[in-house]
Amino acid sequence: MPYRSGAHAFMQGARALLPLTPGVIPFGLVTGVMAIEMGLSPGMAMGMTILFYSGSAQMVALQLLHNGVLPVAIVVTALIINLRFIMYSASLAPHLHHLPRRWTWPLSYLLSDQSYALCTLKLSSGELGPFAHYFYAGTAVTMWLAWQVSVLAGVYLGASIPQDWSLSFAIPLSFLALLIPGLQSRASWCAAAVGGTLAVLAIKLPYNLGLVTASLGGVLAGLVVERLQASSNSASVEGAEGEAQ
Amino acid sequence: MSDLALWGLCLAAGLGTFAMRLSFVELYGRWRIPPLMRRALMYVPASVLAALVLPAVVYPTGQAEWVLNNPQVPAAMVAAWVAWRWRNTLLTLAVGMAALWGFKFLVA
Protein backbone atom coordinates (compact mmCIF):
# COMPACT_ATOMS: atom_id res chain seq x y z
CA MET A 1 0.00 0.00 0.00
CA PRO A 2 1.25 3.57 -0.58
CA TYR A 3 2.10 5.46 2.58
CA ARG A 4 0.74 8.82 3.76
CA SER A 5 4.13 10.27 4.68
CA GLY A 6 7.84 9.48 5.00
CA ALA A 7 7.47 8.97 8.75
CA HIS A 8 4.57 6.55 8.24
CA ALA A 9 6.56 4.53 5.67
CA PHE A 10 9.64 4.51 7.97
CA MET A 11 7.62 3.17 10.92
CA GLN A 12 6.00 0.49 8.75
CA GLY A 13 9.46 -0.56 7.55
CA ALA A 14 10.72 -0.74 11.14
CA ARG A 15 7.66 -2.81 12.09
CA ALA A 16 8.19 -5.17 9.12
CA LEU A 17 11.73 -5.93 10.29
CA LEU A 18 10.89 -6.61 13.96
CA PRO A 19 9.76 -10.25 13.40
CA LEU A 20 13.22 -10.97 11.94
CA THR A 21 15.14 -9.73 15.01
CA PRO A 22 14.85 -13.02 16.99
CA GLY A 23 16.99 -14.58 14.26
CA VAL A 24 19.51 -11.73 14.43
CA ILE A 25 19.90 -11.27 18.19
CA PRO A 26 21.41 -14.72 18.94
CA PHE A 27 23.85 -14.30 16.03
CA GLY A 28 24.84 -10.85 17.37
CA LEU A 29 25.28 -12.24 20.89
CA VAL A 30 27.49 -15.05 19.59
CA THR A 31 29.55 -12.59 17.51
CA GLY A 32 30.10 -10.35 20.55
CA VAL A 33 31.02 -13.30 22.78
CA MET A 34 33.45 -14.63 20.14
CA ALA A 35 35.15 -11.25 19.64
CA ILE A 36 35.93 -11.07 23.37
CA GLU A 37 37.08 -14.71 23.44
CA MET A 38 39.51 -13.93 20.57
CA GLY A 39 41.11 -11.32 22.81
CA LEU A 40 39.67 -8.13 21.28
CA SER A 41 38.99 -5.21 23.63
CA PRO A 42 35.30 -4.18 23.91
CA GLY A 43 36.08 -0.97 21.96
CA MET A 44 37.82 -2.90 19.18
CA ALA A 45 34.99 -5.44 19.06
CA MET A 46 32.38 -2.70 18.56
CA GLY A 47 34.60 -0.78 16.10
CA MET A 48 34.88 -3.95 14.04
CA THR A 49 31.10 -4.47 14.22
CA ILE A 50 30.38 -0.93 13.00
CA LEU A 51 32.99 -1.04 10.20
CA PHE A 52 32.06 -4.52 8.91
CA TYR A 53 28.30 -4.39 9.55
CA SER A 54 28.25 -7.95 8.19
CA GLY A 55 27.85 -10.80 10.66
CA SER A 56 29.02 -13.70 8.51
CA ALA A 57 32.13 -11.82 7.29
CA GLN A 58 32.93 -10.75 10.86
CA MET A 59 32.54 -14.29 12.22
CA VAL A 60 34.87 -15.65 9.55
CA ALA A 61 37.38 -12.85 10.18
CA LEU A 62 37.39 -13.64 13.92
CA GLN A 63 37.90 -17.32 13.15
CA LEU A 64 40.85 -16.55 10.83
CA LEU A 65 42.35 -14.10 13.36
CA HIS A 66 42.26 -16.92 15.87
CA ASN A 67 44.06 -19.19 13.35
CA GLY A 68 46.76 -16.56 12.80
CA VAL A 69 46.03 -16.00 9.10
CA LEU A 70 47.69 -13.04 7.31
CA PRO A 71 45.63 -9.80 7.58
CA VAL A 72 45.47 -9.43 3.76
CA ALA A 73 43.99 -12.94 3.42
CA ILE A 74 41.43 -12.12 6.12
CA VAL A 75 40.31 -8.96 4.28
CA VAL A 76 40.06 -10.84 0.95
CA THR A 77 38.02 -13.65 2.54
CA ALA A 78 35.64 -11.18 4.21
CA LEU A 79 35.13 -9.37 0.90
CA ILE A 80 34.48 -12.63 -0.97
CA ILE A 81 31.76 -13.51 1.53
CA ASN A 82 30.28 -10.05 0.94
CA LEU A 83 30.30 -10.30 -2.89
CA ARG A 84 26.55 -10.89 -2.71
CA PHE A 85 26.13 -7.22 -1.80
CA ILE A 86 27.15 -6.27 -5.37
CA MET A 87 24.22 -8.32 -6.61
CA TYR A 88 21.88 -6.78 -4.00
CA SER A 89 23.16 -3.32 -4.99
CA ALA A 90 22.40 -3.97 -8.67
CA SER A 91 18.94 -5.20 -7.75
CA LEU A 92 18.10 -2.14 -5.59
CA ALA A 93 19.81 0.46 -7.83
CA PRO A 94 16.79 1.14 -10.11
CA HIS A 95 14.79 2.15 -7.02
CA LEU A 96 17.44 4.15 -5.14
CA HIS A 97 19.80 5.74 -7.71
CA HIS A 98 17.67 8.89 -8.22
CA LEU A 99 18.10 9.91 -4.57
CA PRO A 100 20.80 12.39 -3.46
CA ARG A 101 24.03 11.02 -1.92
CA ARG A 102 22.98 12.00 1.61
CA TRP A 103 20.42 9.20 1.11
CA THR A 104 22.24 6.66 -1.09
CA TRP A 105 25.50 6.51 0.89
CA PRO A 106 23.92 5.82 4.30
CA LEU A 107 21.30 3.49 2.75
CA SER A 108 24.08 1.56 0.99
CA TYR A 109 26.10 1.23 4.20
CA LEU A 110 22.94 -0.08 5.90
CA LEU A 111 22.25 -2.75 3.22
CA SER A 112 21.80 -6.17 4.85
CA ASP A 113 20.47 -9.61 3.87
CA GLN A 114 17.39 -9.02 6.00
CA SER A 115 16.35 -5.59 4.74
CA TYR A 116 17.16 -6.64 1.16
CA ALA A 117 14.97 -9.73 1.48
CA LEU A 118 12.13 -7.66 2.95
CA CYS A 119 12.29 -4.82 0.40
CA THR A 120 13.33 -6.26 -2.95
CA LEU A 121 9.91 -7.57 -4.01
CA LYS A 122 8.00 -4.61 -2.55
CA LEU A 123 10.29 -2.11 -4.31
CA SER A 124 10.07 -3.76 -7.73
CA SER A 125 6.28 -4.12 -7.59
CA GLY A 126 5.96 -0.38 -6.92
CA GLU A 127 3.35 -1.04 -4.23
CA LEU A 128 5.11 1.22 -1.71
CA GLY A 129 4.51 4.45 -3.61
CA PRO A 130 6.61 7.63 -3.45
CA PHE A 131 7.87 6.99 0.10
CA ALA A 132 9.37 3.57 -0.71
CA HIS A 133 12.89 4.63 0.32
CA TYR A 134 11.60 5.64 3.76
CA PHE A 135 10.18 2.12 4.14
CA TYR A 136 13.56 0.64 3.17
CA ALA A 137 15.31 3.07 5.58
CA GLY A 138 12.98 1.91 8.37
CA THR A 139 13.94 -1.74 7.86
CA ALA A 140 17.64 -0.89 7.47
CA VAL A 141 17.97 1.36 10.55
CA THR A 142 16.04 -1.12 12.72
CA MET A 143 18.27 -3.95 11.53
CA TRP A 144 21.41 -1.90 12.24
CA LEU A 145 20.25 -1.06 15.79
CA ALA A 146 19.22 -4.66 16.51
CA TRP A 147 22.60 -5.89 15.30
CA GLN A 148 24.76 -3.34 17.18
CA VAL A 149 22.82 -3.71 20.44
CA SER A 150 22.93 -7.51 20.34
CA VAL A 151 26.70 -7.59 19.62
CA LEU A 152 27.20 -5.10 22.48
CA ALA A 153 25.14 -7.37 24.75
CA GLY A 154 27.29 -10.32 23.66
CA VAL A 155 30.47 -8.35 24.43
CA TYR A 156 29.27 -7.76 28.01
CA LEU A 157 27.64 -11.15 28.53
CA GLY A 158 30.90 -12.78 27.58
CA ALA A 159 31.01 -16.51 27.84
CA SER A 160 28.17 -16.84 30.35
CA ILE A 161 25.63 -18.09 27.76
CA PRO A 162 25.27 -21.87 28.14
CA GLN A 163 26.65 -23.72 25.14
CA ASP A 164 23.91 -26.36 25.20
CA TRP A 165 21.20 -23.85 24.28
CA SER A 166 22.45 -24.21 20.68
CA LEU A 167 21.30 -20.64 19.98
CA SER A 168 23.55 -20.45 16.90
CA PHE A 169 20.99 -22.69 15.12
CA ALA A 170 18.74 -19.61 14.99
CA ILE A 171 20.97 -18.22 12.19
CA PRO A 172 20.22 -20.88 9.55
CA LEU A 173 16.61 -20.96 10.80
CA SER A 174 16.16 -17.24 10.13
CA PHE A 175 17.63 -17.62 6.63
CA LEU A 176 15.28 -20.58 6.09
CA ALA A 177 12.29 -18.44 7.12
CA LEU A 178 13.32 -15.86 4.49
CA LEU A 179 14.11 -18.45 1.80
CA ILE A 180 11.04 -20.72 1.73
CA PRO A 181 8.25 -18.14 1.21
CA GLY A 182 10.30 -16.60 -1.64
CA LEU A 183 10.29 -19.84 -3.65
CA GLN A 184 7.39 -18.97 -5.95
CA SER A 185 8.41 -20.67 -9.20
CA ARG A 186 9.97 -23.92 -10.38
CA ALA A 187 13.05 -21.97 -11.50
CA SER A 188 13.62 -20.44 -8.05
CA TRP A 189 13.17 -23.87 -6.43
CA CYS A 190 15.90 -25.22 -8.72
CA ALA A 191 18.14 -22.22 -7.95
CA ALA A 192 17.80 -22.95 -4.23
CA ALA A 193 18.27 -26.72 -4.60
CA VAL A 194 21.41 -26.38 -6.73
CA GLY A 195 22.84 -23.51 -4.63
CA GLY A 196 22.32 -25.40 -1.37
CA THR A 197 23.64 -28.73 -2.65
CA LEU A 198 26.75 -27.16 -4.21
CA ALA A 199 27.47 -25.29 -0.96
CA VAL A 200 27.39 -28.58 0.98
CA LEU A 201 29.64 -30.33 -1.57
CA ALA A 202 32.06 -27.39 -1.98
CA ILE A 203 32.57 -26.75 1.76
CA LYS A 204 36.23 -27.71 1.48
CA LEU A 205 37.13 -25.19 -1.23
CA PRO A 206 39.78 -22.73 0.03
CA TYR A 207 39.18 -19.03 0.76
CA ASN A 208 35.47 -19.76 1.33
CA LEU A 209 34.98 -19.94 -2.42
CA GLY A 210 32.32 -22.62 -1.78
CA LEU A 211 29.62 -20.03 -1.01
CA VAL A 212 30.40 -17.97 -4.12
CA THR A 213 30.62 -21.06 -6.39
CA ALA A 214 27.36 -22.43 -5.01
CA SER A 215 25.55 -19.10 -5.40
CA LEU A 216 26.64 -18.71 -9.02
CA GLY A 217 25.69 -22.34 -9.75
CA GLY A 218 22.24 -21.83 -8.26
CA VAL A 219 21.64 -18.65 -10.28
CA LEU A 220 22.74 -20.48 -13.44
CA ALA A 221 20.34 -23.36 -12.67
CA GLY A 222 17.48 -20.87 -12.23
CA LEU A 223 18.24 -19.26 -15.60
CA VAL A 224 18.47 -22.63 -17.37
CA VAL A 225 15.13 -23.84 -15.95
CA GLU A 226 13.51 -20.51 -16.81
CA ARG A 227 14.76 -20.83 -20.40
CA LEU A 228 13.64 -24.49 -20.70
CA GLN A 229 10.16 -23.67 -19.41
CA ALA A 230 9.82 -20.67 -21.71
CA SER A 231 10.76 -22.69 -24.80
CA SER A 232 8.66 -25.76 -23.95
CA ASN A 233 5.55 -23.84 -23.01
CA SER A 234 5.77 -20.28 -24.29
CA ALA A 235 1.99 -19.76 -24.47
CA SER A 236 1.33 -20.88 -20.91
CA VAL A 237 1.10 -18.57 -17.94
CA GLU A 238 2.09 -21.38 -15.58
CA GLY A 239 5.48 -21.05 -13.88
CA ALA A 240 5.19 -17.27 -13.60
CA GLU A 241 8.91 -16.80 -13.49
CA GLY A 242 10.72 -13.73 -14.70
CA GLU A 243 7.70 -11.50 -15.25
CA ALA A 244 7.71 -9.77 -11.87
CA GLN A 245 10.07 -6.94 -12.81
CA MET B 1 48.68 -8.78 15.76
CA SER B 2 49.08 -5.15 16.84
CA ASP B 3 46.05 -2.97 17.54
CA LEU B 4 47.00 -0.73 14.61
CA ALA B 5 47.10 -3.68 12.17
CA LEU B 6 43.75 -4.87 13.52
CA TRP B 7 42.13 -1.45 12.98
CA GLY B 8 43.66 -1.37 9.47
CA LEU B 9 42.17 -4.78 8.72
CA CYS B 10 38.70 -3.71 9.92
CA LEU B 11 38.90 -0.42 7.98
CA ALA B 12 39.94 -2.21 4.74
CA ALA B 13 37.19 -4.83 5.04
CA GLY B 14 34.64 -2.15 6.00
CA LEU B 15 35.51 0.19 3.11
CA GLY B 16 35.55 -2.72 0.63
CA THR B 17 32.15 -3.92 1.83
CA PHE B 18 30.75 -0.37 1.61
CA ALA B 19 32.07 -0.05 -1.96
CA MET B 20 30.30 -3.27 -2.95
CA ARG B 21 27.04 -2.21 -1.29
CA LEU B 22 27.19 1.18 -3.05
CA SER B 23 28.53 -0.06 -6.43
CA PHE B 24 25.46 -0.21 -8.66
CA VAL B 25 23.48 2.40 -6.76
CA GLU B 26 26.26 4.90 -7.56
CA LEU B 27 27.02 3.70 -11.11
CA TYR B 28 23.41 3.28 -12.23
CA GLY B 29 22.84 5.08 -15.53
CA ARG B 30 26.54 5.19 -16.38
CA TRP B 31 26.79 1.39 -16.36
CA ARG B 32 23.49 -0.27 -17.16
CA ILE B 33 22.81 -3.75 -15.88
CA PRO B 34 22.80 -6.17 -18.84
CA PRO B 35 19.38 -7.86 -19.36
CA LEU B 36 20.79 -11.32 -18.65
CA MET B 37 22.23 -10.10 -15.32
CA ARG B 38 18.90 -8.49 -14.44
CA ARG B 39 17.17 -11.86 -14.92
CA ALA B 40 19.96 -13.66 -13.08
CA LEU B 41 19.48 -11.34 -10.08
CA MET B 42 16.00 -12.76 -9.52
CA TYR B 43 17.59 -16.05 -8.50
CA VAL B 44 20.26 -14.56 -6.22
CA PRO B 45 18.25 -14.55 -2.96
CA ALA B 46 17.06 -18.17 -3.34
CA SER B 47 20.52 -19.39 -4.32
CA VAL B 48 22.55 -17.49 -1.68
CA LEU B 49 20.12 -18.16 1.17
CA ALA B 50 20.06 -21.89 0.38
CA ALA B 51 23.88 -21.88 0.15
CA LEU B 52 24.05 -20.30 3.63
CA VAL B 53 21.42 -22.59 5.19
CA LEU B 54 22.28 -26.08 3.97
CA PRO B 55 25.97 -26.28 5.03
CA ALA B 56 25.11 -24.70 8.41
CA VAL B 57 22.52 -27.46 8.98
CA VAL B 58 24.53 -30.39 7.61
CA TYR B 59 27.84 -29.46 9.28
CA PRO B 60 27.00 -28.37 12.83
CA THR B 61 30.66 -27.99 13.80
CA GLY B 62 31.43 -25.62 10.93
CA GLN B 63 33.95 -28.14 9.63
CA ALA B 64 33.55 -30.40 6.61
CA GLU B 65 32.62 -33.42 8.66
CA TRP B 66 29.45 -35.47 8.82
CA VAL B 67 27.97 -35.87 12.26
CA LEU B 68 25.96 -38.99 12.97
CA ASN B 69 22.55 -38.40 14.61
CA ASN B 70 22.76 -34.70 13.74
CA PRO B 71 19.56 -33.32 15.33
CA GLN B 72 19.81 -30.16 13.16
CA VAL B 73 18.72 -32.04 10.01
CA PRO B 74 15.25 -33.16 11.20
CA ALA B 75 14.78 -29.84 13.07
CA ALA B 76 15.50 -27.89 9.86
CA MET B 77 13.05 -30.10 7.93
CA VAL B 78 10.31 -29.36 10.47
CA ALA B 79 11.15 -25.63 10.33
CA ALA B 80 11.10 -25.65 6.51
CA TRP B 81 7.64 -27.22 6.56
CA VAL B 82 6.41 -24.58 9.04
CA ALA B 83 7.91 -21.79 6.90
CA TRP B 84 6.22 -23.21 3.80
CA ARG B 85 2.85 -23.78 5.48
CA TRP B 86 2.53 -20.54 7.52
CA ARG B 87 5.13 -18.14 6.03
CA ASN B 88 5.79 -16.71 9.49
CA THR B 89 9.37 -15.95 10.62
CA LEU B 90 8.77 -15.99 14.36
CA LEU B 91 6.78 -19.24 14.22
CA THR B 92 9.49 -20.86 12.06
CA LEU B 93 12.18 -19.87 14.59
CA ALA B 94 10.17 -21.00 17.62
CA VAL B 95 9.19 -24.37 16.15
CA GLY B 96 12.69 -24.90 14.70
CA MET B 97 14.44 -24.28 18.06
CA ALA B 98 11.86 -26.41 19.93
CA ALA B 99 12.35 -29.20 17.37
CA LEU B 100 16.14 -28.99 17.80
CA TRP B 101 15.89 -29.26 21.59
CA GLY B 102 13.40 -32.13 21.19
CA PHE B 103 15.58 -34.11 18.77
CA LYS B 104 18.70 -33.46 20.91
CA PHE B 105 16.80 -34.88 23.88
CA LEU B 106 15.81 -37.96 21.85
CA VAL B 107 19.35 -38.52 20.55
CA ALA B 108 20.97 -38.14 23.98
Side-chain angles (χ1 to χ4, degrees), chain A residues 22 40 44 51 53 79 82 85 87 89-90 97 101 105 108 111 164-166 181 187 192 200 215 218 226 245, chain B residues 6-7 14 17-18 20-22 24-26 28 33 38-39 41 43 47 50-51 59 64 79 87 89-90 101 104:
Chain A
L40 300 195
M44 173 70 81
L51 285 169
Y53 187 43
L79 293 182
N82 284 343
F85 287 126
M87 308 197 240
S89 180
H97 77 100
R101 286 216 172 100
W105 284 44
S108 295
L111 181 56
D164 54 331
W165 283 14
S166 308
V200 169
S215 307
E226 180 190 307
Q245 44 192 304
Chain B
L6 211 51
W7 278 112
T17 303
F18 174 66
M20 291 194 283
R21 283 172 161 142
L22 184 66
F24 275 89
V25 174
E26 187 73 20
Y28 191 81
I33 307 159
R38 174 174 285 279
R39 289 202 357 261
L41 286 171
Y43 300 108
S47 182
Y59 307 118
R87 296 170 185 267
T89 306
L90 214 52
W101 292 330
K104 272 173 79 174

Side-chain angles (χ1 to χ4, degrees), chain A residues 68-83:
Chain A
V69 174
L70 279 178
V72 178
I74 298 178
V75 171
V76 170
T77 309
L79 293 182
I80 286 173
I81 289 185
N82 284 343
L83 272 180

Side-chain angles (χ1 to χ4, degrees), chain A residues 19-20 22-23 40 43-44 47-48 51-54 61 65 69 71 74-75 78-79 82-94 96-97 101 104-105 108-113 116 120 163-167 169-170 172-185 187-189 191-193 195-197 199-201 203-204 211 214-219 222-223 226-227 241-245, chain B residues 1-33 35-66 70-101 104:
Chain A
L20 298 184
L40 300 195
M44 173 70 81
M48 185 181 195
L51 285 169
F52 271 63
Y53 187 43
S54 165
L65 270 176
V69 174
I74 298 178
V75 171
L79 293 182
N82 284 343
L83 272 180
R84 65 187 188 285
F85 287 126
I86 296 181
M87 308 197 240
Y88 294 173
S89 180
S91 150
L92 294 184
L96 298 179
H97 77 100
R101 286 216 172 100
T104 56
W105 284 44
S108 295
Y109 163 70
L110 291 171
L111 181 56
S112 62
D113 295 307
Y116 172 76
T120 175
Q163 195 74 49
D164 54 331
W165 283 14
S166 308
L167 273 186
F169 190 56
L173 280 183
S174 65
F175 287 137
L176 200 61
L178 292 172
L179 166 70
I180 303 280
L183 300 178
Q184 302 279 12
S185 69
S188 59
W189 269 102
T197 310
V200 169
L201 297 177
I203 188 87
K204 278 189 175 157
L211 180 63
S215 307
L216 291 177
V219 168
L223 285 174
E226 180 190 307
R227 177 65 53 89
E241 84 284 0
E243 309 311 327
Q245 44 192 304
Chain B
M1 195 181 297
S2 71
D3 267 14
L4 197 65
L6 211 51
W7 278 112
L9 186 160
C10 293
L11 200 64
L15 285 176
T17 303
F18 174 66
M20 291 194 283
R21 283 172 161 142
L22 184 66
S23 55
F24 275 89
V25 174
E26 187 73 20
L27 289 172
Y28 191 81
R30 262 170 291 170
W31 204 70
R32 292 291 289 204
I33 307 159
L36 180 67
M37 187 172 167
R38 174 174 285 279
R39 289 202 357 261
L41 286 171
M42 306 220 341
Y43 300 108
V44 171
S47 182
V48 174
L49 287 173
L52 287 168
V53 170
L54 250 70
V57 170
V58 174
Y59 307 118
T61 61
Q63 306 297 315
E65 56 189 64
W66 291 93
N70 175 3
Q72 290 195 5
V73 174
M77 284 158 72
V78 171
W81 179 73
V82 170
W84 176 75
R85 178 71 180 74
W86 284 282
R87 296 170 185 267
N88 180 323
T89 306
L90 214 52
L91 189 67
T92 305
L93 279 162
V95 173
M97 287 310 295
L100 179 71
W101 292 330
K104 272 173 79 174

Side-chain angles (χ1 to χ4, degrees), chain A residues 25-225:
Chain A
I25 291 166
F27 194 21
L29 287 172
V30 172
T31 306
V33 169
M34 259 188 70
I36 296 305
E37 280 183 4
M38 298 297 156
L40 300 195
S41 66
M44 173 70 81
M46 289 317 294
M48 185 181 195
T49 308
I50 288 169
L51 285 169
F52 271 63
Y53 187 43
S54 165
S56 47
Q58 189 174 353
M59 285 290 237
V60 169
L62 287 170
Q63 182 70 48
L64 295 180
L65 270 176
H66 182 64
N67 300 350
V69 174
L70 279 178
V72 178
I74 298 178
V75 171
V76 170
T77 309
L79 293 182
I80 286 173
I81 289 185
N82 284 343
L83 272 180
R84 65 187 188 285
F85 287 126
I86 296 181
M87 308 197 240
Y88 294 173
S89 180
S91 150
L92 294 184
H95 317 292
L96 298 179
H97 77 100
H98 62 280
L99 299 168
R101 286 216 172 100
R102 69 192 155 81
W103 271 95
T104 56
W105 284 44
L107 286 187
S108 295
Y109 163 70
L110 291 171
L111 181 56
S112 62
D113 295 307
Q114 284 79 4
S115 56
Y116 172 76
L118 271 177
C119 293
T120 175
L121 289 177
K122 288 177 192 278
L123 283 171
S124 50
S125 73
E127 67 186 272
L128 296 173
F131 295 110
H133 53 290
Y134 283 90
F135 180 90
Y136 168 70
T139 66
V141 168
T142 309
M143 177 63 201
W144 190 87
L145 286 174
W147 177 246
Q148 303 297 333
V149 169
S150 52
V151 175
L152 190 65
V155 162
Y156 282 103
L157 271 176
S160 58
I161 297 177
Q163 195 74 49
D164 54 331
W165 283 14
S166 308
L167 273 186
S168 58
F169 190 56
I171 304 156
L173 280 183
S174 65
F175 287 137
L176 200 61
L178 292 172
L179 166 70
I180 303 280
L183 300 178
Q184 302 279 12
S185 69
R186 197 171 297 171
S188 59
W189 269 102
C190 289
V194 171
T197 310
L198 280 179
V200 169
L201 297 177
I203 188 87
K204 278 189 175 157
L205 282 187
Y207 311 117
N208 298 291
L209 281 170
L211 180 63
V212 177
T213 312
S215 307
L216 291 177
V219 168
L220 204 65
L223 285 174
V224 168
V225 171

